[in-house]
Amino acid sequence: MLSHAINRFIDRQRWLEPVADFLQKAVGGFYKLLGAPGHGLKTFIHGTWLGHPLHPVITDIPLGAWTLAVLFDIIYLFNQRQGWSSAADVTILIGIVAALGAAVTGYTDWNETVDRERRVGIAHGLINTVVLVVYLVSWLIRLTGGSRGLAIVLAFIGYALVICAAYLGGEMVFSIGTGVNHHAWQPVPEKFTKVLLEGRMTEGMLVKAMAGDTPILLFKKGDTVCAISETCSHAGGPLSEGELLGNLVQCPWHASRFDICTGQVRGGPATISQVRYETRIQNGQIEVRRSEDTLQPN
Ligand code: FES
């Protein structure tokens, strides 16, 4: 099977590991260097403001632009009219500009990955980086009036490579689950369900309870008990082991932040909010059910 062969090939590329180590240090170090504004910038680039990862939104633009460029170049090869070559030049430039955005968002998202998703992700990123360079050279040749034939051949090579890279991007999402909402398959109680004895709660502490098979994060503040889903929407981190920062809980895995009472995502890499639960106390038992105003789509 093609997918299996590709994965085995990537697994055999041991040189990817030191490259990935270096790039993760460089990307992570860059945002760290900027301090608090760096965290805000990183959250923006992940797409937390959009409620959806930004990277896959941007990647459609270069793919669309470069597909048009291939068509325009082919038409030009047949009729040699300058209008078609100019159209190819413009669409290649649009693709290059959008690909820069895709690279920034992609490397930022990839920085939080580990193991196989990190390996496939670095292969995806490196191929796309080569694609960007190839298209840049093709565009510079076109701009400076160099060999149009060479520029077209380079664009065709770039297009073949970007399709390979897109395949790997799909592999990350559909096979490995990178960037997928980690609540998507968790049952969410719609009716009040007992989760914990009230007496086992301590004021100001993060407590994990279970509603059937679904982990719930409880937090007691005065007379109020707040409840949100315990599994981090980003990659499944256990929020009950996270850190409390005022009204926010910070995930122990990649430091996404959520409002402890509403579940609203307030800091990336997560882009999707936690499920918010209504709570009530009946006969000394805390009960929860999905809140109507939850921001989580599940
Ligand atoms: S699992 Fe990545 S931030 Fe929570």
Side-chain angles (χ1 to χ4, degrees), residues 4-18 116 119-120 123:
H4 183 63
I6 289 172
N7 279 310
R8 284 197 58 189
F9 176 77
I10 291 173
D11 285 346
R12 281 201 299 269
Q13 308 310 306
R14 296 282 161 215
W15 60 274
L16 285 175
E17 292 298 329
R116 191 166 157 246
R119 224 164 20 249
V120 178

Side-chain angles (χ1 to χ4, degrees), residues 232 234-237 239 251-256 258 269-270:
C232 177
H234 173 240
L239 290 188
C251 179
W253 285 7
H254 313 110
S256 288
F258 304 93

Side-chain angles (χ1 to χ4, degrees), residues 92-270:
I92 282 180
L93 179 61
I94 292 170
I96 289 170
V97 172
L100 286 170
V104 170
T105 52
Y107 277 113
T108 301
D109 287 351
W110 168 81
N111 193 47
E112 317 293 354
T113 60
V114 292
D115 302 332
R116 191 166 157 246
E117 63 179 331
R118 183 176 98 134
R119 224 164 20 249
V120 178
I122 191 62
H124 167 74
L126 289 177
I127 295 172
N128 273 324
T129 304
V130 171
V131 167
L132 191 50
V133 172
V134 167
Y135 269 108
L136 204 53
V137 173
S138 172
W139 186 74
L140 285 173
I141 292 172
R142 291 161 193 258
L143 186 72
T144 55
S147 164
R148 168 107 353 218
L150 176 61
I152 291 175
V153 168
L154 284 173
F156 287 175
I157 292 171
Y159 192 70
L161 287 173
V162 83
I163 295 298
C164 296
Y167 177 90
L168 292 180
E171 182 73 8
M172 289 182 74
V173 176
F174 300 117
S175 294
I176 307 175
T178 306
V180 168
N181 172 13
H182 275 63
H183 289 293
W185 292 274
Q186 273 193 359
V188 175
E190 302 284 343
K191 292 185 180 156
F192 275 115
T193 306
K194 291 176 189 168
V195 291
L196 195 75
L197 284 169
E198 187 194 8
R200 294 180 64 182
M201 288 294 296
T202 309
E203 174 100 19
M205 295 284 288
L206 299 170
V207 176
K208 179 180 174 181
M210 297 298 289
D213 290 335
T214 304
I216 310 283
L217 182 68
L218 300 173
F219 179 73
K220 189 172 182 208
K221 196 169 150 191
D223 290 339
T224 310
V225 176
C226 296
I228 61 174
S229 41
E230 198 264 347
T231 308
C232 177
S233 63
H234 173 240
L239 290 188
S240 59
E241 294 171 24
E243 196 181 333
L244 204 51
L245 306 168
N247 287 336
L248 305 179
V249 56
Q250 177 168 285
C251 179
W253 285 7
H254 313 110
S256 288
R257 293 173 185 175
F258 304 93
D259 188 297
I260 189 68
C261 283
T262 66
Q264 183 178 7
V265 58
R266 302 285 292 277

